[in-house]
Amino acid sequence: HYSRHNMKYWTGQEYLGFGPSAASDFDSFRFKNKSDLRAYMDGILKKGAVIDENDFMTISERAGEYVMLRLRTDSGICEDEYFEKFRRDFSAIEPYLVKLEKAGYARKVGTRWRLTDRGFLMSTPIISELLEKLGEGK
């Protein structure tokens, strides 16, 4: 079984974390609360800052994460979904995915590309190559 909580991260959905050290990803921002309990409580009680780190996530970073994270799940990646979410062209990686399929590292099921068991073992270099071909995640 999979964890609904963790699938929020793996599928790029928004989530909010509450409390010291809690992380959130909401409205194109990724942020983390202060780790120190006293500093966090002071921020709450005095209506001050509780966020320690705050990063704006670009569309390119999100697109790169989609490829990286989805290929590490059994749902894989889909050209139509990629275009719908990011308005980016997927065709740059199609020949590479076909090559991976011929080598036994990937397979296409319907409209989705997934890594095989063998592909999962080689996911880091495979995903790095895909990101380079897409020009994403920079």
Side-chain angles (χ1 to χ4, degrees), residues 38-68:
R38 289 194 192 283
Y40 179 81
M41 288 175 57
D42 281 347
I44 296 290
L45 295 172
K46 296 175 182 174
K47 297 184 178 161
V50 296
I51 295 174
D52 194 29
E53 300 171 20
N54 185 13
D55 294 312
F56 176 78
M57 301 298 293
T58 67
I59 196 77
S60 288
E61 290 169 325
R62 295 284 186 188
E65 281 188 350
Y66 168 87
V67 171
M68 176 188 66

Side-chain angles (χ1 to χ4, degrees), residues 30-120:
R30 188 167 288 152
F31 49 96
K32 181 182 150 307
N33 292 342
K34 293 182 179 189
S35 300
D36 182 76
L37 178 61
R38 289 194 192 283
Y40 179 81
M41 288 175 57
D42 281 347
I44 296 290
L45 295 172
K46 296 175 182 174
K47 297 184 178 161
V50 296
I51 295 174
D52 194 29
E53 300 171 20
N54 185 13
D55 294 312
F56 176 78
M57 301 298 293
T58 67
I59 196 77
S60 288
E61 290 169 325
R62 295 284 186 188
E65 281 188 350
Y66 168 87
V67 171
M68 176 188 66
L69 294 173
R70 291 289 178 96
L71 279 176
R72 290 189 167 126
T73 70
D74 62 2
S75 65
I77 58 176
C78 174
E79 180 175 6
D80 293 339
E81 187 176 74
Y82 184 79
F83 183 79
E84 184 180 318
K85 286 180 173 277
F86 308 109
R87 298 289 186 239
R88 299 237 190 286
D89 188 20
F90 192 83
S91 63
I93 63 170
E94 193 84 29
Y96 184 62
L97 290 168
V98 170
K99 182 179 170 184
L100 290 171
E101 186 173 39
K102 287 178 182 173
Y105 292 110
R107 70 181 189 279
K108 190 171 188 180
V109 178
T111 60
R112 303 193 78 79
W113 284 96
R114 295 180 172 105
L115 295 179
T116 62
D117 290 344
R118 237 175 112 201
F120 273 108

